[in-house]
Amino acid sequence: MSGKDFTQISRRSVLKGATAVGALGVLAPAWLRAGAAHAAGMDGEVITGSHWGVFYAKVDGGTWTEIRPWEGDPAPSHQLPGIMDSVMSPSRIKYPMVRRAFLEGGAGASPETRGAGDFVRVSWDEALDLVASELKRVSETYGPTGIFGGSYGWKSSGKLHNCQNLMRRMMNLGLNGAFVNASGDYSTAASQIIMPHVMGTLEVYEQQTVWPVVVENTDVLVFWAADPVRTNQIAWTVADHDNYPYLQAFKDTGKKVIVIDPWRNETAQFFDAEWVPIRPHTDVALMLGIAHTLYEEDLHDSDFLDEYTSGFEDFLPYLTGESDGTPKTAEWASEICEVPADQIRDLARLFQSNRTMLSSGWSIQRQHHGEQSHWMLVTLASMLGQIGLPGGGFGLSYHYANGGAPSANSIVLPGIGDGGGAVEGAAWMTDAGAASIPVSRVVEMILNPGKDFNFNGKTQKFPDVKMAYWVGGNPFSHHQDRNQMVEAWQKLETVVVHDFQWTATARFADIVLPATSAYERNDIENVGDYSARAIVAMKKVIDPMFEARNDFDIFADICERLGARDAFTEGKDEMAWIKGFYDAAAEQAPARGIEVPAFDAFWEAGILEFEIPEENRQFVRYGDFRDDPLLEPLGTPTGLIEIYSKNIEKMGYDDCPPHPTWMEPVERLGGEGAKYPFHVDTAHPSSRLHSQLCGTKLRETYAISGREPCMINPVDAEAKGIVDGDIVRIFNDRGQILAGAMVTDAIRPNVIRVAEGGWYDPAPGGEIGALDTYGDVNNLTVGIGTSSLAQGNCGHTALADIEKYEGDAPAPDVFSAPAEG
């Protein structure tokens, strides 16, 4: 295994709070050498928050010098030092910049030069005048379908400086809602559409059976394509890390843990779990093989199926093969998923004879036909009959933002509104194109204006978008089929981006506005997506660097040029908005039987914590439904778990049948006509949040030969003549990347793993198909939708080949700012 084993670094850091705190002190000098951030404000230490947790920032002599975790964090993330470095990394955007060809030739000029780094520095007034004039021009010329404002991504934490809401607020108030929006997300798009049909609720972002119940009652804990030890480092709000003590507590019980995943992930290593190295993309087949064994051996819970589910009798002919001539036996499943048939049968018996929790990650629904994965997981859990029992059933969020951490009796903060909601306000746009698209169809939309697309029972047309406005995200990282995306971006007339680092998305823009980081402004946020056990004052650490400005102020100035400044600001400044959010939340306190301090006292203290009631430590998901399905029905048409959906049947989609089904993806290992010999596993990184912090010194703790690491099994490495530390080229028909080889038996044969989120860095010249010199794995993934139902992304569908790179490899240069013109 490579000397730069970032899985081990992460495990040590996130699981032992004291060790993690010590590690920050050890690492801090490296970030300071990169160039510390200078503050014009007072010296001292302030508390603030981030996706990685609550922390203290020390400012000494006008310089941000240290970062240390909040003492209430049970498992601080080892990524915290990257936050400090991000504020003054070489990739920082310092000034408003405009692409030279755009500035000299106008909108749409030489689009092929996007990404080439040829920018000209302009003043803020010039930049804002350009943005406002383009918004007016495109809106007046092309109507309400001309501007795409469905910007998506992991914006910074905070209730006020939610740049995506602020952007839509500007467009709703300044352009009367005349823009194209987006729905869904890249994380759970397939599940958040299929689960309401099956369970009557979104499921993926909802509270799980809480961890104290799991520790006490679960006998067999199955992590199916889930890696909570790694992914619970981060949260959408401010991470609480409350799950880590429970992970340790479950480990201490010595009870059975099984990890089903193509690589022996950090959770498998932590628990020393039984590892089932499934062939990627075949999870539904394995579930069907287990389900068939349960039925064949009369181990299924027929009473639960009769009382709590609908449609099992319509699914059964498919399971037994009566309807298609193919019984979904363990042997049948084994041929597809490469898990031995005897092991499949053993899993069925083990699950049935023990209280079993099936904890699934989201990767298995981010693939072609991804809707089927969680639908079949629910069907399998229904056959086991343990849904609603303490420690049994299934969960889809134990790996995300510390889902399953007991909820506090807390007040919940509101946030800045978007000013009206473009989808509702622009329903009249239908004739010219959809008012909103599934978010991951953005490239397909740009390339195919007027084309029909299906989505959850409706057929609409893609609008003809001419301008894209992106804030708080990096689509040139999270979107699939990078070269197709470059092609699409060349069709746009105008692209505007706000960011504080020179991501690839910023490099492919026409107008780039330098926004502040979350640490150069004030805000407020809940701590814990699921626990909500505190509210933190996100206090400004340092004044804005260079010419960076808050998104709120940027959009207020644009609205002034559009005649809507007063409507946008409502006459309130930053602290007035923050106080308003706190005071509104405080009104909830009497009904909850708690007292909270006045705002000024809270702000001075910096954090307000809440108690967790004992009853919340005993929460069992679907417990009420199990106790009385008539009085506590689900939100489905039948009020029951829908194994067979008549609503989906009515849609008539050939790529999403009305019951969970094994469907061949567009490409997979072992699939007919598979063109390439390796599946590319695109799991989340261990030392960044998607692409966030990739542009910091933290990268030096995991990069191999200056590139994104590529895990490869020793058998495959030997066959390819690759050794640890080699620079390798990974390629298919869609694209090619360089990466650094990590030879390890933690990955199964015929699978290579390159984490998503590496910054896209095409070799000089930048033409479509150029070699990516750092390792953005989405050069290789397919850009199609999961199915006509959900139209989610297929970020885990990719076959490729790998070879040792010969010759002098071009050095990545994406981690420094383009030269100023």
Side-chain angles (χ1 to χ4, degrees):
M1 183 173 289
S2 169
K4 293 218 174 181
D5 183 356
F6 55 85
T7 65
Q8 298 297 322
I9 292 171
S10 175
R11 288 180 62 225
R12 285 197 302 270
S13 300
V14 300
L15 291 174
K16 297 181 180 179
T19 303
V21 173
L24 302 189
V26 171
L27 291 174
W31 319 132
L32 296 179
R33 286 195 299 272
H38 291 271
M42 296 177 61
D43 289 354
E45 190 173 61
V46 298
I47 193 169
T48 190
S50 70
H51 291 307
W52 298 268
V54 180
F55 64 89
Y56 297 98
K58 183 178 180 181
V59 177
D60 186 12
T63 299
W64 186 1
T65 59
E66 293 181 23
I67 185 169
R68 69 178 179 91
W70 173 48
E71 59 272 12
D73 189 334
S77 173
H78 71 283
Q79 298 180 44
L80 282 178
I83 294 174
M84 188 165 70
D85 187 60
S86 70
V87 175
M88 191 52 193
S89 74
S91 58
R92 184 72 196 246
I93 301 174
K94 299 177 181 179
Y95 313 108
M97 304 286 275
V98 180
R99 185 170 63 92
R100 183 183 302 277
F102 182 94
L103 192 63
E104 296 176 352
S110 305
E112 70 281 357
T113 66
R114 288 197 182 107
D118 189 11
F119 286 93
V120 177
R121 178 181 173 182
V122 298
S123 70
W124 265 109
D125 280 341
E126 289 175 295
L128 293 173
D129 287 345
L130 271 175
V131 172
S133 66
E134 280 302 286
L135 289 169
K136 292 177 183 177
R137 180 189 69 82
V138 174
S139 183
E140 292 169 1
T141 304
Y142 300 107
T145 62
I147 301 170
F148 180 70
S151 182
Y152 169 84
W154 271 71
K155 60 173 186 59
S156 59
S157 307
K159 297 303 185 187
L160 172 60
H161 296 291
N162 178 335
C163 53
Q164 290 156 7
N165 270 15
L166 292 171
M167 181 196 66
R168 292 174 188 125
R169 184 180 181 89
M170 176 271 289
M171 291 189 180
N172 276 315
L173 299 174
L175 298 175
N176 297 314
F179 69 98
V180 177
N181 210 337
S183 64
D185 57 39
Y186 280 73
S187 296
T188 65
S191 278
Q192 64 181 255
I193 296 298
I194 190 67
M195 282 295 103
H197 291 287
V198 178
M199 298 301 298
T201 185
L202 200 65
E203 197 67 50
V204 287
Y205 298 122
E206 299 179 25
Q207 181 61 294
Q208 312 294 283
T209 293
V210 293
W211 268 106
V213 175
V214 171
V215 172
E216 182 178 353
N217 296 281
T218 301
D219 299 315
V220 177
L221 180 55
V222 180
F223 291 110
W224 204 311
D227 193 3
V229 169
R230 179 167 43 101
T231 56
N232 274 326
Q233 290 185 72
I234 55 97
W236 183 252
T237 57
V238 172
D240 54 1
H241 301 135
D242 282 6
N243 279 5
Y244 287 97
Y246 293 118
L247 291 167
Q248 184 65 53
F250 195 92
K251 179 180 180 179
D252 290 344
T253 69
K255 292 190 284 191
K256 184 79 169 179
V257 178
I258 299 172
V259 171
I260 302 173
D261 202 296
W263 74 291
R264 185 162 46 86
N265 61 32
E266 294 174 41
T267 300
Q269 295 175 52
F270 171 69
F271 283 107
D272 193 21
E274 177 183 339
W275 177 35
V276 181
I278 187 173
R279 177 187 270 169
H281 230 307
T282 64
D283 305 273
V284 172
L286 176 56
M287 294 176 198
L288 283 166
I290 296 171
H292 188 278
T293 300
L294 293 174
Y295 184 77
E296 183 181 49
E297 298 186 5
D298 198 24
L299 299 176
H300 64 297
D301 190 331
S302 57
D303 290 340
F304 183 90
L305 291 168
D306 289 343
E307 187 171 0
Y308 298 100
T309 76
S310 172
F312 180 73
E313 67 280 2
D314 297 311
F315 166 73
L316 188 57
Y318 171 75
L319 182 66
T320 62
E322 179 184 342
S323 63
D324 65 356
T326 304
K328 310 310 178 292
T329 64
E331 286 76 15
W332 168 85
S334 180
E335 287 292 318
I336 296 171
C337 68
E338 290 192 332
V339 177
D342 286 344
Q343 186 176 10
I344 294 173
R345 283 188 284 266
D346 287 345
L347 288 172
R349 297 163 188 151
L350 178 71
F351 293 174
Q352 187 274 337
S353 60
N354 291 275
R355 186 63 58 84
T356 300
M357 175 61 74
L358 301 175
S359 169
S360 174
W362 298 340
S363 59
I364 57 174
Q365 56 87 59
R366 282 194 301 269
Q367 57 187 22
H368 198 206
H369 307 308
E371 295 86 351
Q372 306 303 315
S373 301
H374 284 165
W375 197 356
M376 187 59 219
L377 186 87
V378 170
T379 300
L380 178 57
S382 298
M383 293 180 70
L384 292 170
Q386 298 179 20
I387 295 172
L389 293 178
F394 72 97
L396 303 185
S397 291
Y398 284 110
H399 68 291
Y400 170 71
N402 296 273
S407 301
N409 182 26
S410 58
I411 58 175
V412 179
L413 295 162
I416 189 77
D418 69 2
V423 177
E424 293 79 11
W428 49 271
M429 291 165 57
T430 305
D431 290 342
S436 179
I437 64 163
V439 66
S440 71
R441 299 300 91 219
V442 58
V443 164
E444 188 176 358
M445 170 191 71
I446 296 169
L447 291 175
N448 300 280
K451 176 185 174 182
D452 286 345
F453 70 96
N454 295 313
F455 177 51
N456 202 18
K458 296 182 179 180
T459 300
Q460 297 175 282
K461 293 184 182 297
F462 283 126
D464 191 2
V465 167
K466 302 295 184 180
M467 177 178 180
Y469 205 128
W470 218 282
V471 295
N474 186 13
F476 273 80
S477 173
H478 66 239
H479 191 81
Q480 288 65 52
D481 197 341
R482 185 68 58 244
N483 286 296
Q484 187 183 60
M485 186 172 190
V486 173
E487 179 186 356
W489 244 236
Q490 291 184 2
K491 288 192 63 179
L492 295 171
E493 294 182 4
T494 306
V495 181
V496 180
V497 168
H498 298 198
D499 212 320
F500 75 101
Q501 289 190 302
W502 278 105
T503 65
T505 301
R507 292 167 188 265
F508 276 81
D510 298 310
I511 304 170
V512 180
L513 304 182
T516 52
S517 70
Y519 320 108
E520 298 163 297
R521 60 200 186 206
N522 295 298
D523 215 320
I524 189 170
E525 186 60 276
N526 292 103
V527 179
D529 288 29
Y530 295 88
S531 73
R533 66 175 171 96
I535 292 175
V536 63
M538 294 178 59
K539 297 183 180 182
K540 181 172 69 172
V541 177
I542 58 172
D543 285 340
M545 300 293 297
F546 305 105
E547 293 186 10
R549 301 184 64 203
N550 296 341
D551 293 290
F552 182 93
D553 297 328
I554 296 171
F555 286 124
D557 281 356
I558 293 172
C559 277
E560 183 171 7
R561 289 161 168 80
L562 299 176
R565 183 185 186 87
D566 290 344
F568 182 88
T569 67
E570 298 183 19
K572 293 184 284 189
D573 64 11
E574 179 182 68
M575 291 307 297
W577 277 103
I578 293 170
K579 182 178 185 299
F581 298 149
Y582 181 87
D583 289 346
E587 293 176 1
Q588 307 162 16
R592 295 181 177 273
I594 59 176
E595 295 183 3
V596 298
F599 174 76
D600 288 345
F602 154 73
W603 193 260
E604 183 177 356
I607 196 158
L608 173 62
E609 298 183 71
F610 303 97
E611 296 294 325
I612 299 173
E614 182 57 33
E615 62 182 302
N616 290 2
R617 298 179 189 273
Q618 302 302 320
F619 174 75
V620 176
R621 187 157 183 78
Y622 295 116
D624 291 343
F625 169 65
R626 189 180 186 103
D627 289 344
D628 197 328
L630 293 179
L631 292 180
E632 300 287 346
L634 303 182
T636 59
T638 61
L640 303 172
I641 298 168
E642 298 212 349
I643 295 173
Y644 189 101
S645 171
K646 291 184 178 179
N647 277 349
I648 293 178
E649 179 184 37
K650 292 175 184 177
M651 296 177 191
Y653 296 146
D654 58 6
D655 57 356
C656 189
H659 60 71
T661 305
W662 161 249
M663 305 186 75
E664 279 287 350
V666 64
E667 61 186 51
R668 71 168 178 91
L669 289 179
E672 185 176 349
K675 189 172 182 180
Y676 296 98
F678 291 91
H679 176 91
V680 184
D681 186 295
T682 60
H684 291 323
S686 297
S687 295
R688 59 176 184 260
L689 195 177
H690 300 308
S691 67
Q692 291 188 41
L693 305 187
C694 189
T696 71
K697 298 286 284 187
L698 197 62
R699 187 178 65 258
E700 295 179 4
T701 66
Y702 60 82
I704 296 176
S705 299
R707 325 284 163 160
E708 190 67 19
C710 172
M711 287 185 175
I712 183 171
N713 185 273
V715 173
D716 297 325
E718 183 178 5
K720 290 287 187 176
I722 293 169
V723 299
D724 224 30
D726 277 348
I727 296 177
V728 296
R729 185 177 79 101
I730 311 168
F731 59 94
N732 60 21
D733 290 345
R734 290 178 289 273
Q736 54 178 332
I737 67 173
L738 296 183
M742 176 189 291
V743 180
T744 171
D745 59 7
I747 192 93
R748 58 158 280 159
N750 296 111
V751 176
I752 54 179
R753 178 187 179 274
V754 180
E756 54 84 22
W759 281 13
Y760 174 54
D761 189 21
E767 67 275 3
I768 294 174
L771 178 67
D772 182 340
T773 67
Y774 177 72
D776 167 20
V777 74
N778 274 322
N779 281 271
L780 307 170
T781 52
V782 302
I784 61 176
T786 52
S787 81
S788 299
L789 182 77
Q791 294 288 1
N793 76 86
C794 295
H796 291 273
T797 301
L799 293 182
D801 206 345
I802 185 171
E803 64 184 12
K804 180 176 179 179
Y805 189 80
E806 303 291 350
D808 295 330
D813 68 355
V814 71
F815 302 114
S816 58
E820 296 176 22

